[in-house]
Each structure stands twice: as structure tokens, then as C-alpha cells.
Amino acid sequence: MNVYTTVAEMRQQVHAWKKEGLTIGLVPTMGYLHEGHASLIERARKENDKVIVSVFVNPTQFGPNEDLAAYPRDFKRDSALCEKLGTDAIFHPEPEEMYQNACTAVTMSVLNETLCGKSRPVHFGGVCTVVSKLFHISGADRAYFGQKDAQQLAIVRKMVKDLNFDIEIVGCPIVREADGLAKSSRNVYLNEEERKAALCLSRAVKKGQELIHLGISAEEVLAPMRQIIEAEPLAKIDYVSMVDAENMQYVDHVESDVLVAMAVYVGKTRLIDNFSFHV
Ligand code: AMP
């Protein structure tokens, strides 16, 4: 497994693979890898001749008061895990390599105006820009994203369609801890008490899944979910919402495929969780 830190070196490898007619799967990550990332890498491994994992804490997707500087990093451990999972190359650039003198960015509308996009106004523009760059640099045939970041997945799918990227987007299910907490690099921020409190998110998801059915109103699903979270003193709701699964617009009733998503502060840590319902 090779680690490339420059676009030029990564491209050279990609060109060599393409010349041989090999297919490439890309798994974009911000590192501090866990089993959620591993599930994406394993899927990519099965479906492609070559697998590239990008490890890049992308500064442009963090707002000014967010956790860019504190975001956990452990590249040695990440590269060991990637190697174990049969990754062919890691792309691990510095921000300067990605953004020096950049004047161009990708913007999104509509889909980024709800949920996390509402709370984090610069976030999805940064995601679209870096993901576009990674698609071009990797020359990937397929890219793998987790349902854990469901709005991100919907936005990337829309961007690929709108901008005619020649790449297949593969969505992969949420990987959870044994007790239900969705795996996240940010879970390391939680102390013991907060770790227990964080279970209110997956409990709320479970409740929502029990209640949801065709025709039910959004509030009939969301209110009991909010109650579960509000009963937890360390938790503070950012949002608990229901949106159309494709365009991310709020819905009043379940009449199409929907996404039920939440962001909750547990202490200072902002956690997300969600489930989808197909009619
Ligand atoms: P991140 O490193 O947090 O930017 O995540 C990189 C990719 O891994 C994204 O596509 C995430 O949706 C995905 N991912 C993160 N956590 C999980 C999880 N618990 N289950 C499935 N995919 C995940």
C-alpha cells in the first residue's frame, strides 16, 4: 500500500491503473477510522480492482467556531487499518496541497437548506468542493459514502447528477456500537457520563422506526423522539426533523420516501443519527 501526499503522485498511480484497464473505488474520509469507515472500505474492496482511501480533514467544511483544530487524528493507526483491509493507496494531502491559490468552489442550493445545512451554513459547500476534487484526482469509477451522513449522501448524489460526474455513488448502512450508538470519530470527545447519555439518539431512532408508517404525520413520529432526547439532561437538541429522502425538504406527512434525521449536542459534542423510511 502506498501513501500519496501530492495530487501529482496520486494521479500518476491512477493513470497507471487506468492504462491497465483497472477499476477504482474511492472512500473519502477525514481519518480517525473506525468500523463505519471499514465497512465502506470492505465494500469498495469487493467491487473494484483498486481501492483508494482519502484521509483529509477538510478545512473548508468546518465553520469558524467548529472543531477543525480539535478533530481527532491518528494517521499511523489509520494507515495500519487501511493496509489490513487491503487498501491499495491512501491519499493524504495537506490543506495547502489541496487549496493553494484556489478561487473556485462548488455551491449547492435547496438540499443544503435544511437539517445540518441549516445549522452549519458553510459545511456542504466545503463537502461538495472537496468531494469534486477527490473524484477528479482519484479517477474513481465508484465512491462510497455512509448513510450515517444521510444529507451528505443525498447532496453528493445530486451534485453528481447535476454536474454530470461519471462516477457511481454507493451508499452504505450505518454501523453502530453494540449498544446502538452510531460509530463516529467524534465519539472520542465523550466522557463516560456523556457516552451513556449519547444513547438517547439511537433510542429515539428506534422509537421513530417503531412509529413510522405511510400516511402518519411528521409530528406524530418526531414528538415522541424529541421526548426521549429531552428526558436526557446532558443532551440538547439541534434538530429532529423529517424530510423528503431525495430533495431534503421538510414534509408534514409520510407520503414519499423520507429521512428522519437529528443532530443533538451531548455536552459540547454534536452527534448525528437518522433512519430512512421507504414507502
Ligand atoms: P468522516 O470521516 O466522518 O468524514 O466519514 C467518512 C465516511 O464514512 C462518510 O461517508 C461517512 O458517512 C462514513 N461513516 C462515518 N461513520 C459511519 C458509520 N457509523 N457507519 C457507516 N458509515 C459511516
Side-chain angles (χ1 to χ4, degrees):
M1 184 185 75
N2 287 315
V3 177
Y4 299 107
T5 57
T6 67
V7 174
E9 288 167 331
M10 184 73 251
R11 278 242 165 93
Q12 204 177 5
Q13 176 65 86
V14 165
H15 287 158
W17 286 337
K18 295 253 162 191
K19 229 172 154 179
E20 290 181 62
L22 302 173
T23 60
I24 298 171
L26 170 71
V27 182
T29 82
M30 297 207 298
Y32 214 73
L33 304 180
H34 50 67
E35 288 87 342
H37 301 107
S39 72
L40 272 50
I41 298 170
E42 280 163 356
R43 176 94 184 259
R45 180 68 287 159
K46 279 194 197 122
E47 297 178 353
N48 302 277
D49 298 319
K50 297 290 174 187
V51 174
I52 300 173
V53 176
S54 60
V55 175
F56 179 57
V57 182
N58 174 36
T60 68
Q61 70 189 66
F62 287 79
N65 299 315
E66 294 181 357
D67 58 342
L68 172 62
Y71 197 84
R73 293 160 166 91
D74 188 345
F75 186 69
K76 224 171 135 189
R77 192 165 63 88
D78 290 346
S79 51
L81 178 66
C82 286
E83 177 118 57
K84 196 175 118 205
L85 294 169
T87 302
D88 297 285
I90 298 183
F91 181 53
H92 182 49
E94 291 296 323
E96 299 72 44
E97 174 70 6
M98 290 293 269
Y99 291 116
Q100 207 161 40
N101 296 324
C103 301
T104 311
V106 180
T107 61
M108 167 71 46
S109 62
V110 184
L111 281 77
N112 66 340
E113 287 160 14
T114 58
L115 312 179
C116 285
K118 198 168 161 194
S119 313
R120 307 182 69 192
V122 302
H123 179 63
F124 287 116
V127 168
C128 285
T129 302
V130 79
V131 163
S132 300
K133 288 167 68 70
L134 293 170
F135 287 176
H136 288 310
I137 294 163
S138 68
D141 300 277
R142 297 182 193 85
Y144 296 79
F145 292 86
Q147 300 273 8
K148 158 93 191 323
D149 299 87
Q151 188 176 21
Q152 168 173 279
L153 177 57
I155 283 175
V156 169
R157 282 193 197 285
K158 180 71 173 144
M159 178 185 78
V160 161
K161 194 166 174 229
D162 287 350
L163 299 184
N164 309 97
F165 278 91
D166 190 11
I167 191 167
E168 181 191 338
I169 303 303
V170 182
C172 303
I174 300 177
V175 177
R176 297 177 179 279
E177 302 286 355
D179 61 8
L181 179 68
K183 295 211 184 234
S184 166
S185 308
R186 289 189 168 99
N187 291 349
V188 296
Y189 296 148
L190 304 169
N191 65 31
E192 210 176 313
E193 216 184 333
E194 290 167 345
R195 173 66 184 75
K196 280 188 205 137
L199 289 177
C200 68
L201 282 91
S202 51
R203 281 209 310 273
V205 161
K206 224 169 147 203
K207 185 72 182 171
Q209 285 172 321
E210 283 163 20
L211 292 171
I212 202 162
H213 56 79
L214 182 63
I216 194 172
S217 76
E219 275 314 303
E220 281 174 282
V221 177
L222 300 175
M225 291 175 66
R226 288 196 193 103
Q227 263 173 26
I228 288 172
I229 298 163
E230 281 161 1
E232 176 48 66
L234 292 179
K236 192 172 157 280
I237 292 175
D238 178 0
Y239 67 80
V240 179
S241 304
M242 186 186 288
V243 295
D244 176 90
E246 207 166 308
N247 64 22
M248 300 285 112
Q249 300 306 289
Y250 298 115
V251 296
D252 291 334
H253 288 83
V254 178
E255 281 154 358
S256 59
D257 291 354
V258 294
L259 169 70
V260 178
M262 66 181 82
V264 174
Y265 285 93
V266 177
K268 289 200 169 103
T269 306
R270 187 174 178 280
L271 300 176
I272 56 173
D273 205 340
N274 70 78
F275 69 95
S276 298
F277 179 75
H278 302 283
V279 299

